[in-house]
Amino acid sequence: MSVDKKEHIMHVAIELFAEKGFEGTSIRDLAQKADVNIAMVNYYFGSKEKLFEQLLADKAQFMRAKIEAVESNESLTEIEKLDHIIDGYVTRFLTQPEFHRVFLQELLVNQRANLHQTVLSLFEKNTRDVVSIIEKGIKKKQFKKVDPQLTFISIVGTINQVMMSKEMCNTLMNASANHNPYQDPKFKKRILEHIKQMVHAHLIITTVS
Amino acid sequence: MSVDKKEHIMHVAIELFAEKGFEGTSIRDLAQKADVNIAMVNYYFGSKEKLFEQLLADKAQFMRAKIEAVESNESLTEIEKLDHIIDGYVTRFLTQPEFHRVFLQELLVNQRANLHQTVLSLFEKNTRDVVSIIEKGIKKKQFKKVDPQLTFISIVGTINQVMMSKEMCNTLMNASANHNPYQDPKFKKRILEHIKQMVHAHLIITTVS
DNA sequence: GTTTAAATTAAACAACTGTTTAATTGTGAT
DNA sequence: ATCACAATTAAACAGTTGTTTAATTTAAAC
């Protein structure tokens, strides 16, 4: 029963942190929504901040795995690797929009320095992987001489911008306010097509006939 | 003396909100850093939340002005208009990074519904203006058939991603940790060149000779 | 059935929150 | 000099915060 309960608390915590932020979420809010006693959070996690740390740590390594797998797959061309990574990013972020917003908040609010650093170093690892793919493409003269780091920033930035506000996405899709765009396959398709179209135009050299 | 003091409080508030978030900033923090009495914030602004509202409202209209000016300037081509808007965005955001982070936080944390809506409607106005420019370019067959909304999202998303963390920018530029990238003209130039290069490749039709 | 330890609870803790009050100081007009 | 009003202050307010305690319940082991 205890493991389930612990995970239940973590799940509710992600929702609340994503909605109200870390400071804006009280342990009493969390305890009430998770239907547990106030003391259980500190009993299981030690403190509110440690709960947050564990949330980030748990998901972070999961987010690393796919990129590393794609990067080391030698049977793929560089542009195919990028397309796979874009697919992976969009899919993961759309299936866990709440957590991803917690992630973004921690990157944005620089109050808890150690957490900020954790999130940052994770992002930098992903940046390095993608940059090395783009640089390979440039060396093979398949890609234009672009700015590899900022190209990755544009990919991630596009997705993050979309993740920022559900309401923004709904006006984007001409959907009603109560609609959940992150579960809408049309929305996912639209974002994927846009990013790939833009990245391809940005990277691939158009051979003049 | 009173107007100066009021603006002084607002200035310190932007810094603190950007650094610690709205919930993470206490009125006592603010009063201490601004070197005023705790009661002065409520005396001038009524409440902490109204102070925040005024911060947003004051800057918001300033951010609107340039886009409207560019959009109505008939002597510019569509791609020139976009370049001007990109210039304006980057310049404004780099000169006021603290405020912009406050802006992003409010978009991200959905706790104060009315503030969230204010920020959102402002963003939507800007989106509409830029989208109409891109659509004109498509109609004139100067632009490819892209997704106008998401193209704007990519422009803004790239800038926002860069604004998210000073530390991230420094590793991006191979700069030391105490460096302020937002005041570095090389950094600005690099971002501007990347965004324009990417947007041009994405939009402009390459005529096959 | 007793024992042992984990799980759970309500209550209390001290510190902090935004806000208000009531008293005091400062300033400009008459 | 006096009045009126704005500006400023320290203190107190009521409520919330994260955390801890000490008591109780639950559950498994022997």
Side-chain angles (χ1 to χ4, degrees):
Chain A
M1 196 65 187
S2 72
V3 177
D4 288 349
K5 202 164 195 172
K6 199 173 173 182
E7 281 184 1
H8 174 60
I9 292 176
M10 292 174 78
H11 186 259
V12 175
I14 286 180
E15 286 183 13
L16 276 177
F17 286 153
E19 186 187 351
K20 299 164 165 250
F22 181 78
E23 318 289 343
T25 303
S26 75
I27 292 195
R28 281 167 184 82
D29 287 344
L30 174 55
Q32 191 176 12
K33 186 162 184 180
D35 198 35
V36 298
N37 189 273
I38 323 167
M40 295 314 292
V41 174
N42 282 284
Y43 177 76
Y44 280 126
F45 301 94
S47 72
K48 185 186 169 188
E49 187 155 338
K50 282 182 183 169
L51 160 61
F52 197 10
E53 281 180 41
Q54 191 156 134
L55 285 181
L56 289 179
D58 269 30
K59 302 282 178 178
Q61 94 187 66
F62 176 80
M63 300 174 73
R64 282 281 306 148
K66 274 196 181 175
I67 287 192
E68 282 180 352
V70 168
E71 213 256 334
S72 60
N73 186 341
E74 297 293 339
S75 68
L76 296 171
T77 66
E78 269 64 41
I79 194 68
E80 281 172 342
K81 283 182 183 175
L82 284 183
D83 281 351
H84 274 79
I85 288 174
I86 293 171
D87 275 327
Y89 259 93
V90 171
T91 301
R92 180 151 55 259
F93 291 172
L94 288 185
T95 52
Q96 300 197 329
E98 300 86 8
F99 171 70
H100 187 60
R101 290 173 51 153
V102 178
F103 200 85
L104 285 181
Q105 273 178 49
E106 197 48 36
L107 207 60
L108 200 52
V109 182
N110 201 348
Q111 200 169 13
R112 292 162 296 283
N114 55 334
L115 281 183
H116 186 81
Q117 201 53 46
T118 305
V119 174
L120 212 64
S121 67
L122 179 74
F123 185 79
E124 279 167 17
K125 279 182 193 165
N126 291 348
T127 305
R128 266 196 294 277
D129 285 347
V130 174
V131 163
S132 81
I133 294 175
I134 296 177
E135 284 174 344
K136 270 187 196 167
I138 295 176
K139 252 183 193 164
K140 292 183 182 175
K141 309 220 170 180
Q142 293 167 349
F143 291 171
K144 301 177 197 167
K145 284 179 186 166
V146 299
D147 190 318
Q149 277 100 344
L150 289 182
T151 301
F152 178 61
I153 297 248
S154 284
I155 295 171
V156 176
T158 301
I159 300 172
N160 283 347
Q161 185 68 26
V162 149
M163 303 301 294
M164 280 214 163
S165 165
K166 197 188 77 172
E167 292 81 1
M168 195 189 64
C169 296
N170 280 334
T171 49
L172 208 70
M173 296 293 288
N174 292 321
S176 59
N178 61 340
H179 182 63
N180 186 347
Y182 304 125
Q183 292 179 348
D184 183 353
K186 287 180 190 169
F187 184 65
K188 180 180 175 180
K189 193 185 167 202
R190 186 175 163 189
I191 291 176
L192 271 176
E193 282 180 357
H194 162 72
I195 296 180
K196 286 182 181 175
Q197 180 184 355
M198 187 177 69
V199 170
H200 287 198
H202 179 55
L203 283 178
I204 298 176
I205 295 176
T206 50
T207 49
V208 184
S209 61
Chain B
M1 196 68 186
S2 73
V3 177
D4 286 350
K5 201 162 195 170
K6 199 174 174 183
E7 280 183 1
H8 175 62
I9 293 176
M10 291 174 78
H11 187 258
V12 175
I14 285 181
E15 285 183 13
L16 277 176
F17 286 153
E19 185 188 352
K20 300 164 165 248
F22 181 78
E23 320 287 345
T25 303
S26 75
I27 291 196
R28 281 168 185 80
D29 288 343
L30 175 54
Q32 190 176 12
K33 186 162 184 180
D35 198 35
V36 297
N37 190 273
I38 324 167
M40 296 313 292
V41 174
N42 283 283
Y43 176 75
Y44 279 125
F45 302 96
S47 73
K48 185 186 169 188
E49 187 155 339
K50 281 182 184 170
L51 160 62
F52 196 10
E53 282 181 41
Q54 192 156 132
L55 283 181
L56 289 179
D58 268 29
K59 302 282 178 179
Q61 97 186 62
F62 176 81
M63 301 174 70
R64 281 283 303 148
K66 273 195 181 174
I67 288 192
E68 283 180 350
V70 169
E71 212 256 336
S72 60
N73 186 341
E74 296 293 340
S75 68
L76 296 171
T77 66
E78 269 64 39
I79 194 67
E80 283 172 341
K81 283 183 183 175
L82 284 184
D83 282 350
H84 273 78
I85 288 174
I86 292 170
D87 274 327
Y89 259 92
V90 171
T91 301
R92 180 152 55 257
F93 290 173
L94 288 186
T95 52
Q96 301 197 326
E98 301 86 9
F99 171 70
H100 187 59
R101 290 172 52 152
V102 178
F103 200 85
L104 285 180
Q105 273 180 49
E106 197 49 36
L107 205 60
L108 199 53
V109 182
N110 201 349
Q111 201 168 12
R112 292 161 297 283
N114 55 336
L115 281 184
H116 186 80
Q117 200 54 45
T118 305
V119 174
L120 212 65
S121 68
L122 179 75
F123 184 80
E124 280 167 17
K125 278 182 193 166
N126 292 347
T127 305
R128 266 197 295 275
D129 285 347
V130 174
V131 163
S132 81
I133 293 175
I134 296 177
E135 283 175 344
K136 270 187 196 167
I138 297 177
K139 252 184 194 164
K140 291 183 182 175
K141 310 220 170 179
Q142 294 168 348
F143 290 171
K144 301 177 195 166
K145 284 180 187 166
V146 299
D147 190 317
Q149 276 101 345
L150 288 183
T151 301
F152 179 62
I153 296 248
S154 284
I155 295 172
V156 176
T158 301
I159 301 172
N160 284 346
Q161 186 68 27
V162 149
M163 303 301 295
M164 279 212 165
S165 166
K166 196 188 78 171
E167 291 80 3
M168 195 190 65
C169 296
N170 281 334
T171 48
L172 207 71
M173 298 291 289
N174 292 320
S176 60
N178 60 341
H179 182 63
N180 185 348
Y182 304 126
Q183 291 178 349
D184 184 353
K186 287 180 191 169
F187 184 65
K188 179 180 175 179
K189 192 186 168 201
R190 184 173 165 190
I191 291 176
L192 270 176
E193 282 180 358
H194 162 72
I195 296 180
K196 286 181 181 175
Q197 180 183 358
M198 186 178 70
V199 170
H200 288 197
H202 179 55
L203 283 177
I204 298 176
I205 296 177
T206 50
T207 49
V208 183
S209 61

